[in-house]
């Protein structure tokens, strides 16, 4: 499943880095910390490998 925004892609990359032990978990905050706790390494890889070209900076909220 690809990322839907640049912010989501960056957060997944940060969480993936912590999951692999490349950065400290204590350095995570917000969405990246939540992703670290709730997603597997494989899921994080799918989000993080999304190309940023053409993605919005932030996903627009949907109206229900």
């Amino acid at each position: 499943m690809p990322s839907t925004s640049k912010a989501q892609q960056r957060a997944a990359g940060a969480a993936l880095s912590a999951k692999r032990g490349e950065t400290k978990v204590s350095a995570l905050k917000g969405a990246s910390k939540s992703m670290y706790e709730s997603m597997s390494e494989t899921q994080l890889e799918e989000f993080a490998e999304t190309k940023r070209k053409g993605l919005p900076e932030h996903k627009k909220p949907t109206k229900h």
Side-chain angles (χ1 to χ4, degrees):
M1 176 178 203
S3 297
T4 57
S5 70
K6 292 178 184 179
Q8 189 179 51
Q9 190 269 344
R10 285 192 301 267
L16 180 60
S17 178
K19 188 78 82 167
R20 292 179 173 169
E22 297 167 359
T23 59
K24 294 181 179 181
V25 177
S26 60
L28 299 177
K29 50 186 162 180
S32 57
K33 187 172 186 176
S34 176
M35 289 174 133
Y36 172 83
E37 294 169 350
S38 66
M39 298 174 76
S40 70
E41 188 171 333
T42 304
Q43 290 172 313
L44 289 170
E45 285 173 353
E46 290 176 11
F47 274 85
E49 72 184 2
T50 304
K51 301 293 181 209
R52 288 191 206 178
K53 188 174 182 178
L55 290 178
E57 184 61 36
H58 295 279
K59 184 179 175 191
K60 293 185 179 183
T62 57
K63 296 181 181 178
H64 288 51

